[in-house]
Amino acid sequence: GDHPAAVALRTGRAVFVDGTDDELIRAGARSAMAIPLAARGRNLGAMTLIMVQPGRSFTEADKSMVEDLGRRVALAIDNTQLYAITREAERRLRLVARAGVLLTSSLDLDTVVGRLAELVKGEVADTCEIHVRRTPDQWWHLSPDSEAGRLLRTDRLPPLVAEAVEGAGGAGGTEPAPA
């Protein structure tokens, strides 16, 4: 048969197994129960409890208490997950807000790209490269040189980017994409 936790996960209901289950006996257990961990309509997991001491088994009071405990555990798990999601959303919003300020603080390309690259570095990625179309057939490849503390500008795209541009129809059109 299925493990009690698998049944609890699949059915969304508590599963109680007594000492007459062959698989349970082979595992050395006398009694087991598995409680689904569900909160706010989402199945988050299961909690399995096993009784191994001879002569002991779960009582109806144990079952009721564990079901209540399972609901509380599920809410606690869901709360920690929601908190982590909220913190990540806040971090991203702060990053976007800072980027908005940086991107409108100068009209100098090197300054804007350099500031953006520094903002992104460490927050989102290890480095940031920006590819700018100068003319329909000419691109600038901009990347920060952290050792020199300045922006490197080349007229050649990195090979993989160049291949992607060519694969998308050469220069990707005659006009830059609208903002």
Side-chain angles (χ1 to χ4, degrees), residues 27 66 68 128 149:
V66 170
D68 183 53
C128 175

Side-chain angles (χ1 to χ4, degrees), residues 159-172:
L160 291 176
V161 176
E163 287 174 26
V165 168
E166 287 172 18

Side-chain angles (χ1 to χ4, degrees), residues 47-59:
M47 178 171 65
T48 303
L49 293 92
I50 300 170
M51 191 73 71
V52 293
Q53 293 182 13
R56 291 195 62 201
S57 63
F58 293 107
T59 66

Side-chain angles (χ1 to χ4, degrees), residues 122-136:
E123 286 283 336
V124 177
D126 295 328
T127 189
C128 175
E129 297 178 346
I130 298 180
H131 315 289
V132 178
R133 184 191 331 248
R134 297 287 296 149
T135 67

Side-chain angles (χ1 to χ4, degrees), residues 27-49:
R30 307 284 181 216
S31 180
M33 71 171 100
I35 310 299
L37 300 176
R40 298 178 183 101
R42 294 181 346 168
N43 194 346
L44 303 172
M47 178 171 65
T48 303
L49 293 92

